[in-house]
Amino acid sequence: MPAIGALTLLVRDYDEAIAWYRDRVGFQLISDTDLGGGKRWVLMAPKGATETRLLLAQAVGPEQEAQIGHQAGGRVFLFLHTDDFARDHEAMVAAGVQFLEAPRHEAYGSVAVFQDLYGNKWDLLRLHRVD
């Protein structure tokens, strides 16, 4: 069955992005392979996740650099699902993640928007069960 294996996220610097996602959001480094010429294959994902990964891609040149932090045109770009909203929200706040709003409870679940180190917006999201 086809699946989306990774999404590319433009970053300013590989190491600063790895550290931020690891230390603040709790992701694990899946792969960091030197491809030569300053390029690396860097995959990160939430601990224990087996689905989609983030491929961190260091921007090259002014056109790519201008897109860092703006990959969704100011809209929420990525959705981080959790099975325990309060636990993960509290841990992320304690680690220095900047939330742009207080948690709210919608018909579909609990959600709060945060931004990454470059300003990309994410939803921390606990969906209600839909059976």
Side-chain angles (χ1 to χ4, degrees), residues 7-124:
L7 294 170
T8 300
L9 181 67
L10 288 170
V11 300
R12 185 174 34 246
D13 178 83
Y14 290 117
D15 293 322
E16 78 175 353
I18 290 168
W20 195 89
Y21 283 103
R22 181 192 61 225
D23 300 341
R24 297 195 184 212
V25 186
F27 281 18
Q28 63 183 352
L29 181 63
I30 304 297
S31 174
D32 186 354
T33 305
D34 187 342
L35 301 176
K39 287 182 138 183
R40 291 159 55 182
W41 181 260
V42 178
L43 289 173
M44 299 197 76
K47 289 181 182 170
T50 59
E51 301 84 21
T52 308
R53 309 313 197 188
L54 276 184
L55 174 64
L56 304 183
Q58 188 167 300
V60 177
E63 186 176 336
Q64 289 182 15
E65 290 168 359
Q67 299 308 310
I68 296 172
H70 305 286
Q71 289 188 219
R75 296 186 63 132
V76 171
F77 177 49
L78 297 166
F79 298 80
L80 179 59
H81 287 201
T82 177
D83 63 348
D84 187 331
F85 183 88
R87 175 200 64 211
D88 292 341
H89 181 266
E90 182 179 317
M92 291 169 69
V93 168
V97 173
Q98 181 183 359
F99 279 83
L100 304 177
E101 63 182 13
R104 64 187 197 281
H105 306 286
E106 303 288 350
Y108 56 84
S110 300
V111 63
V113 177
F114 69 94
Q115 64 182 22
D116 67 15
L117 72 164
Y118 302 113
N120 290 301
K121 292 179 183 175
W122 289 65
D123 270 359
L124 176 63

